[in-house]
Amino acid sequence: MKKAISAILMFSCIAFASAAAKDIVISTPGTALVLNAEEGMPLKFCYYGDFTTLSGMKQLRAAGDAIDKNAYPSFGTGNLALPALAVTHNDGNITTDLIVTGVSSTEEAGSVLTVISTKDKVYPLYVDMCYRAYKDTDVIEMWTVIRHTEKKPVVMDRFDSGCLYFRRGDVWVSHLDGEWAAETSIVTEPLKAGMLTVRSYDGARNGQMSHGEIMVSLDGKPRENEGRAVGAALCWSGDYELRVNTDDNRTHSLYAGICAEPVGYVLDPHMDFETPHLAVSYSNEGIGGVSRNFHRYARGTRMHNGSACRDILLNSWEGVYFNINQEGMDGMMSDIASMGGELFVMDDGWFGRKYPRNDDTSSLGDWVVDMRKLPDGIDGLLASARKYGIKFGIWLEPEAISPASELFEKHPDWALKATKRDYNYGRGGTQLLLDLTNPAVQDCIVNMVDTLLTSYPEIAYIKWDANGAVRNFGSPYLKADKQGNMFVDYHRGLESVMKRIRSKYPGIVIQACGGGGGRINYGVMPYFDEYWVSDNTDAYQRLFIQWGTSYFYPSNSLGQHVSAEKNHQTGRVIPLKFRFDVAMTGRLGMEIQPKDMSAEDKDFARKAIRDYKSIRPVVQLGNQYRLISPYEGKNVASMMYVTDDKSRAVFFAYKMEHYMFQQVPRFMAAGLDAGRNYRIRELTVPEGEKPSGLDGAVISGAILMNTGFEVPLDREYASRVYELTAE
Ligand code: DGJ
């Protein structure tokens, strides 16, 4: 990446020069977004790519590289651009025509905020287009703030966060599709004439459908470390639509925003509506470069406590499911502590008095300990954790309510429901969602978490689950004319709840779980420390799922657990080493009944956890290089992590299916210092097995990256982990 002069200096240049040229350069260290903001005219998008300046932009124009398209097209201007904004004004007019009225810039800590104010030519409707450029990461956030002073509410049918344009050509898109237990499946396709749409309409857990992130490769098929690429992530936990339109113009246009279908959002006069931020990143180091930018942005800026390493934990779910009791929890804590783990998380099944939670049909909302299962309550569990020297965490599903609950008996009107309609039930044939638009419901959730954490300050971790989609399309709280606002206001309510919890409890680790990976999104990121990646813990299938999440999410945010030998979801039998080696590329954990493990397996787990601790900062905080994708069909997958100073790295390789005489490819490292020598140490070698010949070798970064090296992977589910230390 080319380095820019300091962003502050840059900006003063921009502010001075823009008065004449009207071009505004919004830049990060290696990238620039150029807009043209001439007063009285629509705001134009001109360029997004490698770093440039105002004079560089002149040359780009001369070379024919300026796009010059409406940066935020609205419906009804006559130029037939697909709208990013469509509003029905209170007199019934369905058109909007925005022109620039001013530009301002503000220095922030670590970023520069540029706001371009626009106004409808006729109506008192105002849209501020906001761009925040980071000084230490090649990421720009864009969003809009919409308000009006019309006499009555207006209805916003579409209100995207922003648009980007790419020169039409051999442009490919990768997006993450999926559903429960098959999350983040990568779909890669070339852009052809027409519209590619990525959409989630789950209502509550958008990651259960297509993800709100998209990767665009500008120079042909996606390559990991070469070629120009752009990534975009919509920071929103609700429904959205990302559209890439290819019409008869010479551009592909990307639009991203909340999806308001089937009804629009009703906006009262004088109210600011801020659209979710759309984070975009450009790299000339391929899609891997874009991923690394997003990882840096997530860790450094967006994610709660993003720069910290996470603990190694045992979660009780696949070990005991709903069968929670003090003795069982104590046994699991003893076992994980003896294997070197640092945290135990008691999952579902611990709560409910009048309605005990023995399966998924009841009790949600009654967050009181079931004393029949846990006679010493949470105190007893904390005493066990203290005895074994580990931390304790607990499962909650705060947004859900069961009809068989004391909460529902008291507040039946707190569940989402359409008037005059029966309930549609979710999980267990009973589950409903609380109406988070209602401030009383928000207070109830905040108070529940607050009471738990003030009563038991030793609780170190919450697994915040969300197992339900929105299936009841009405809010008993919202007024009749605002029922459609529920889709947005639910998530505003969730955000407000999380802000209140975080302001009092910044130190507690909170995992976002959405019935598997349904809550993996950039919207909830500021309030959560990590995500549960998937309820599918089959290590083979996790190679694919984790490959997909790594496109946008950093490794310290990804909960990856070692589960039973015979996998509970797929029945596949996989050796323990492979299961560990796959889980070790993210936040390592276990999801197993340790008492069913053999002494030999426990010994191996102890060794693997010890090894993981020695490389944890490299894996969790290092720069990720994906080397061979499981999607490539080579029956091999490989990736590595490298520290910023390139002094340490960890390399992972996996044999997937094994065919006799099928050649294992030569591995080429990436991200190392070509001029330094690296000593190789093999990790997670089972007792009695010999490390491979690479163990102890000293090889230059140049050879490792340019000539490559052989990794013995001689049977199905063979795997290797090498630590590389610069000498
Ligand atoms: C769904 C989660 O993804 C699982 O890990 C587990 O917590 C169950 N919910 C519990 O009901």
Side-chain angles (χ1 to χ4, degrees):
M1 280 287 171
K2 290 174 224 164
K3 285 273 168 269
I5 52 174
S6 110
I8 305 168
L9 237 180
M10 245 312 298
F11 195 79
S12 41
C13 287
I14 296 158
F16 168 73
S18 63
K22 313 292 184 202
D23 276 352
I24 300 173
V25 181
I26 294 164
S27 60
T28 66
T31 72
L33 169 71
V34 182
L35 303 167
N36 186 273
E38 196 164 334
E39 243 170 75
M41 302 294 289
L43 181 68
K44 290 274 174 60
F45 175 104
C46 304
Y47 167 85
Y48 182 45
D50 281 310
F51 177 80
T52 193
T53 59
L54 283 172
S55 57
M57 190 59 216
K58 271 194 195 148
Q59 296 187 9
L60 287 163
R61 276 190 201 288
D65 286 336
I67 296 254
D68 287 328
K69 289 271 195 165
N70 195 327
Y72 196 63
S74 54
F75 178 75
T77 58
N79 72 3
L80 299 188
L82 196 68
L85 179 74
V87 170
T88 305
H89 299 274
N90 77 71
D91 64 0
N93 186 318
I94 55 171
T95 69
T96 296
D97 196 353
L98 298 173
I99 49 169
V100 173
T101 57
V103 179
S104 75
S105 69
T106 318
E107 273 289 330
E108 302 176 319
S111 54
V112 176
L113 174 66
T114 305
V115 178
I116 294 119
S117 304
T118 68
K119 181 193 172 301
D120 185 86
K121 280 180 179 164
V122 177
Y123 287 86
L125 178 90
Y126 306 87
V127 180
D128 285 346
M129 300 181 197
C130 309
Y131 299 85
R132 174 173 289 137
Y134 286 93
K135 292 178 186 170
D136 59 355
T137 319
D138 285 329
V139 168
I140 295 171
E141 288 173 16
M142 55 178 76
W143 71 95
T144 60
V145 179
I146 305 166
R147 70 188 172 285
H148 70 91
T149 56
E150 298 189 20
K151 288 201 179 69
K152 288 187 189 148
V154 304
V155 180
M156 301 193 297
D157 297 307
R158 182 163 299 272
F159 39 101
D160 280 337
S161 296
C163 302
L164 282 181
Y165 295 88
F166 315 104
R167 176 76 168 82
R168 201 168 160 175
D170 190 9
V171 176
W172 289 61
V173 163
S174 305
H175 51 98
L176 306 172
D177 198 17
E179 54 184 270
W180 179 79
E183 294 90 343
T184 54
S185 308
I186 302 171
V187 180
T188 298
E189 49 193 313
L191 284 178
K192 298 189 184 132
M195 176 109 73
L196 181 145
T197 306
V198 169
R199 186 166 166 191
S200 182
Y201 47 95
D202 178 280
R205 307 115 359 116
N206 49 31
Q208 289 287 354
M209 293 187 175
S210 294
H211 264 241
E213 298 99 36
I214 198 163
M215 193 74 93
V216 186
S217 301
L218 304 179
D219 300 314
K221 277 192 182 167
R223 283 171 295 160
E224 275 298 335
N225 295 311
E226 291 94 35
R228 296 170 307 145
V230 173
L234 188 71
C235 306
W236 182 239
S237 52
D239 293 346
Y240 44 67
E241 195 167 66
L242 278 64
R243 299 169 293 159
V244 189
N245 192 37
T246 305
D247 55 22
D248 52 2
N249 286 299
R250 64 184 188 105
T251 52
H252 305 283
S253 36
L254 165 66
Y255 297 71
I258 289 177
C259 182
E261 279 181 17
V263 283
Y265 191 91
V266 177
L267 184 65
D268 284 334
H270 304 285
M271 299 298 289
D272 279 358
F273 185 95
E274 185 171 321
T275 58
H277 295 200
L278 175 68
V280 302
S281 179
Y282 164 88
S283 173
N284 54 22
E285 293 176 11
I287 60 171
V290 171
S291 295
R292 287 186 286 282
N293 290 345
F294 269 100
H295 297 167
R296 202 169 303 123
Y297 163 65
R299 286 191 188 110
T301 303
R302 191 145 182 102
M303 186 163 65
H304 185 76
N305 209 3
S307 56
C309 280
R310 312 306 195 217
D311 288 333
I312 301 161
L313 63 83
L314 171 67
N315 178 292
S316 67
W317 181 241
E318 285 198 25
V320 298
Y321 292 104
F322 292 101
N323 191 13
I324 300 273
N325 57 57
Q326 170 65 35
E327 200 193 342
M329 297 298 98
D330 183 276
M332 290 180 110
M333 284 190 245
S334 160
D335 278 329
I336 188 62
S338 78
M339 289 188 278
E342 299 152 329
L343 164 70
F344 173 74
V345 181
M346 177 176 67
D347 209 280
D348 200 348
W350 59 270
F351 55 95
R353 291 224 175 120
K354 181 169 175 191
Y355 299 98
R357 175 82 166 171
N358 295 323
D359 55 29
D360 60 6
T361 60
S362 70
S363 326
L364 296 167
D366 295 352
W367 303 108
V368 283
V369 172
D370 183 344
M371 301 302 270
R372 287 153 292 204
K373 297 178 181 177
L374 299 165
D376 301 326
I378 291 177
D379 281 324
L381 298 162
L382 290 171
S384 293
R386 230 175 287 128
K387 177 169 68 179
Y388 300 119
I390 57 170
K391 298 178 197 168
F392 178 79
I394 198 163
W395 180 93
L396 297 171
E397 192 178 356
E399 297 156 64
I401 182 167
S402 306
S405 69
E406 294 185 64
L407 187 68
F408 191 78
E409 283 172 354
K410 256 189 254 151
H411 299 288
D413 57 329
W414 278 8
L416 291 175
K417 183 179 181 298
T419 45
K420 301 190 183 128
R421 305 250 173 241
D422 291 338
Y423 286 112
N424 300 309
Y425 296 107
R427 186 185 188 200
T430 58
Q431 187 189 45
L432 300 171
L433 289 193
L434 284 166
D435 180 2
L436 264 78
T437 70
N438 184 344
V441 171
Q442 296 169 20
D443 288 348
C444 168
I445 296 176
V446 172
N447 291 339
M448 179 274 285
V449 174
D450 190 27
T451 306
L452 186 70
L453 296 182
T454 44
S455 312
Y456 305 103
E458 282 174 80
I459 293 178
Y461 179 106
I462 289 174
K463 175 171 175 177
W464 183 296
D465 206 346
N467 286 294
V470 173
R471 292 172 199 275
N472 294 286
F473 304 99
S475 155
Y477 172 76
L478 292 174
K479 300 246 158 55
D481 64 336
K482 300 247 174 69
Q483 285 294 299
N485 288 10
M486 178 199 81
F487 295 98
V488 171
D489 290 355
Y490 180 98
H491 292 275
R492 299 277 193 234
L494 174 62
E495 208 171 0
S496 157
V497 164
M498 295 314 300
K499 276 187 182 151
R500 289 166 67 188
I501 292 173
R502 273 309 183 192
S503 73
K504 188 156 177 198
Y505 301 101
I508 188 158
V509 175
I510 312 184
Q511 181 190 69
C513 173
R519 271 277 161 86
I520 303 183
N521 64 62
Y522 264 77
V524 299
M525 197 180 254
Y527 317 108
F528 290 85
D529 302 70
E530 62 169 39
Y531 305 99
W532 178 225
V533 170
S534 176
D535 277 350
N536 184 343
T537 57
D538 173 333
Y540 176 94
Q541 295 192 9
R542 272 296 188 111
L543 280 175
F544 292 89
I545 295 171
Q546 294 170 187
W547 205 264
T549 49
S550 81
Y551 269 30
F552 287 90
Y553 294 90
S555 47
N556 64 337
S557 75
L558 301 173
Q560 304 185 169
H561 295 181
V562 173
S563 63
E565 182 175 30
K566 181 166 178 185
N567 185 261
H568 290 193
Q569 293 78 41
T570 63
R572 196 191 307 270
V573 175
I574 294 189
L576 187 59
K577 174 174 160 56
F578 189 93
R579 283 179 271 148
F580 259 101
D581 289 354
V582 170
M584 280 170 70
T585 60
R587 197 276 287 133
L588 174 67
M590 297 183 79
E591 179 116 4
I592 197 167
Q593 174 50 278
K595 77 174 185 217
D596 295 342
M597 293 167 73
S598 66
E600 193 189 335
D601 277 358
K602 280 188 176 158
D603 281 346
F604 177 80
R606 198 167 294 118
K607 178 182 173 20
I609 287 174
R610 196 173 56 233
D611 283 354
Y612 179 76
K613 284 180 180 167
S614 74
I615 53 166
R616 171 164 41 191
V618 185
V619 168
Q620 291 201 12
L621 307 177
N623 298 307
Q624 186 198 49
Y625 290 84
R626 292 179 297 255
L627 303 176
I628 302 178
S629 165
Y631 285 86
E632 277 179 49
K634 292 182 176 160
N635 281 324
V636 166
S638 176
M639 63 153 76
M640 63 188 291
Y641 292 96
V642 186
T643 56
D644 281 338
D645 66 2
K646 299 176 188 286
S647 66
R648 294 185 71 196
V650 184
F651 167 90
F652 296 89
Y654 310 94
K655 187 83 199 339
M656 302 170 74
E657 281 174 276
H658 186 66
Y659 292 96
M660 295 306 291
F661 305 114
Q662 187 185 21
Q663 288 299 307
V664 172
R666 199 163 168 74
F667 291 82
M668 314 287 259
L672 299 174
D673 183 339
R676 290 168 94 173
N677 286 328
Y678 290 87
R679 178 171 295 277
I680 298 175
R681 176 171 77 109
E682 181 162 6
L683 304 176
T684 70
V685 181
E687 197 56 39
E689 283 187 28
K690 277 201 180 139
S692 74
L694 278 175
D695 184 62
V698 177
I699 305 177
S700 73
I703 292 179
L704 290 167
M705 291 192 293
N706 304 330
T707 313
F709 51 103
E710 300 286 338
V711 177
L713 294 172
D714 50 5
R715 59 180 187 279
E716 196 140 277
Y717 307 136
S719 54
R720 300 279 178 188
V721 182
Y722 297 127
E723 181 189 28
L724 284 70
T725 311
E727 294 208 320

